[in-house]
Amino acid sequence: MRAILLREHGGPEVLKVEEVPDPQAGPGQAVVRVRACALNHLDIWVRKGLPGAPFHLPTISGADISGDIHALGEGVSGWHVGDPVMVAPGVSCGACARCQEGLDHLCSSYGILGETQNGGLAELVCVPAVNLFAKPARLSYADAASMSLSFLTAWHMLVGRAQLKRGESVLVHAGGSGVGSCAVQIAKYLGAQVITTAGSESKLQLAKELGADETINYREEDFVKRVKAITEKRGVDVVFEHVGGEVFERSLRCLAWAGRLVTCGATTGIDAKVNLRHLFFKSQSILGSTMGSRREFQQLVSLFETGHFRSVIDRIIPMEEIADAHRAIEAREVFGKVVISP
Ligand code: ZN
């Protein structure tokens, strides 16, 4: 098969399309013919390599996969060759206490397709059969691939961790970004008042179309002041954070009493100051979050089925254009998901 193989860490030029052996489905596994694989920031991290967190090389990245079942391993039932599927991106042991409880994202051997094992930037990918979900017929392969990881991340943050409720208010940072655009839609679906920031008018417009009640251009306005004005000094019940650094510090100032800040990332910096007096005196919470469980993924697929959420796709490209796609993502030139069609 053809695959985008990463033999060494480095710039976008290290991504090469190569001929490699087809994967074989072992017991409990399935091989999926990839129709679409969407890129995430994770793909950039895997390409660059993280200090102290070595990735196995050579590797094939790509966590967001949809396609058709190509082959089934021993002991897999309920599926047929040719079935259209989307693939849950998280992989766990399936045997430990947390996996048994349905908290597979907290398994000590938890990994992500395209990070800890070969992913979907290839014509074929081998995945655990428990990760297969029937692709909702109303979604194209590109839509289905674009929705997996970012919706799962946003859903677990808002529902599993922050427990956002109807009638509450939420500040979503970067409502025009991959995970931010999902958070806006989920928060609206949950019945919250949605305030979002973005750095351009086109992204603010997108956030409005996805359901944001109030939008703030963070390049032109102080988002803390605007949030205080919109909420009549009360602050918001939940902040959806994935930026880090100084944005994290200022986000804490937007929180109401008993407010929850939930974070899944720190693209601008991993260090932040916390005013502990405010935190304890106002009974506020800071919550960390990564990915989500397969049970939550199942809930999301049901909501995709009924047309509650939509994907935002910037472009669909062949494997050969992968390096340019990485450059565009790093330069923040994309508006929605970049999807590879092998
Ligand atoms: Zn486990």
Side-chain angles (χ1 to χ4, degrees), residues 10-326:
E13 70 283 352
V14 300
L15 299 160
K16 299 261 166 54
V17 179
E18 288 190 34
E19 196 68 36
V20 298
D22 288 0
Q24 305 297 321
Q29 295 180 325
V31 171
V32 173
R33 177 160 295 279
V34 180
R35 302 293 181 191
C37 182
L39 300 181
N40 291 286
H41 273 279
L42 178 63
D43 296 87
I44 309 281
W45 294 123
V46 171
R47 188 202 79 219
K48 286 181 168 174
L50 287 174
F55 296 104
H56 70 99
L57 295 175
T59 194
I60 299 167
S61 71
D64 273 346
I65 302 161
S66 73
D68 303 316
I69 294 179
H70 175 74
L72 294 167
E74 210 183 292
V76 179
S77 58
W79 294 102
H80 300 97
V81 169
D83 285 350
V85 291
M86 53 196 297
V87 181
V91 182
S92 68
C93 80
C96 72
R98 281 177 169 161
C99 282
Q100 298 291 321
E101 274 178 72
L103 302 172
D104 47 284
H105 60 296
L106 299 178
C107 172
S108 61
S109 62
Y110 188 79
I112 304 173
L113 293 171
E115 183 194 24
T116 48
Q117 64 184 76
N118 283 341
L121 290 176
E123 289 175 321
L124 299 169
V125 60
C126 183
V127 301
V130 292
N131 284 50
L132 299 175
F133 290 82
K135 180 180 77 65
R138 65 189 349 265
L139 297 185
S140 69
Y141 289 105
D143 283 332
S146 301
M147 294 168 93
S148 300
L149 192 142
S150 39
F151 265 100
L152 180 62
T153 300
W155 181 267
H156 184 62
M157 288 172 76
L158 291 176
V159 179
R161 300 293 281 143
Q163 300 183 9
L164 181 66
K165 292 173 198 70
R166 178 168 298 280
E168 288 191 318
S169 54
V170 58
L171 169 65
V172 175
H173 281 295
S177 68
V179 73
S181 63
C182 300
V184 168
Q185 295 181 69
I186 292 167
K188 200 64 199 168
Y189 165 76
L190 295 171
Q193 181 196 20
V194 185
I195 305 168
T196 189
T197 65
S200 73
E201 283 310 312
S202 55
K203 288 197 172 180
L204 291 175
Q205 187 53 40
L206 169 69
K208 272 229 152 80
E209 284 165 23
L210 296 176
D213 298 294
E214 303 280 350
T215 57
I216 305 170
N217 187 329
Y218 65 75
R219 292 188 203 279
E220 290 170 5
E221 292 179 280
D222 177 347
F223 73 80
V224 181
K225 273 191 193 154
R226 262 303 296 285
V227 166
K228 288 285 168 71
I230 292 166
T231 58
E232 294 169 344
K233 294 189 184 161
R234 186 181 166 275
V236 288
D237 299 295
V238 171
V239 175
F240 182 94
E241 227 287 277
H242 51 114
V243 184
E246 181 243 11
V247 169
F248 183 99
E249 292 173 24
R250 290 165 65 213
S251 294
L252 285 173
R253 289 163 48 201
C254 297
L255 274 187
W257 287 64
R260 294 88 75 197
L261 181 150
V262 61
T263 175
C264 73
T267 44
T268 66
I270 56 168
D271 294 315
K273 269 195 206 124
V274 176
N275 182 324
L276 292 174
R277 193 180 293 144
H278 283 177
L279 191 75
F280 64 70
F281 195 64
K282 296 183 177 180
S283 292
Q284 295 169 335
S285 309
I286 296 173
L287 305 162
S289 189
T290 297
M291 303 293 286
S293 67
R294 273 200 297 278
R295 191 185 290 159
E296 289 172 304
F297 194 79
Q298 174 66 72
Q299 288 178 299
L300 276 169
V301 173
S302 305
L303 290 168
F304 298 155
E305 190 98 60
T306 45
H308 276 92
F309 303 132
R310 59 172 260 215
S311 61
V312 183
I313 294 175
D314 180 273
R315 66 189 91 169
I316 302 174
I317 56 170
M319 287 201 272
E320 287 71 18
E321 293 175 27
I322 185 73
D324 286 340
H326 271 233

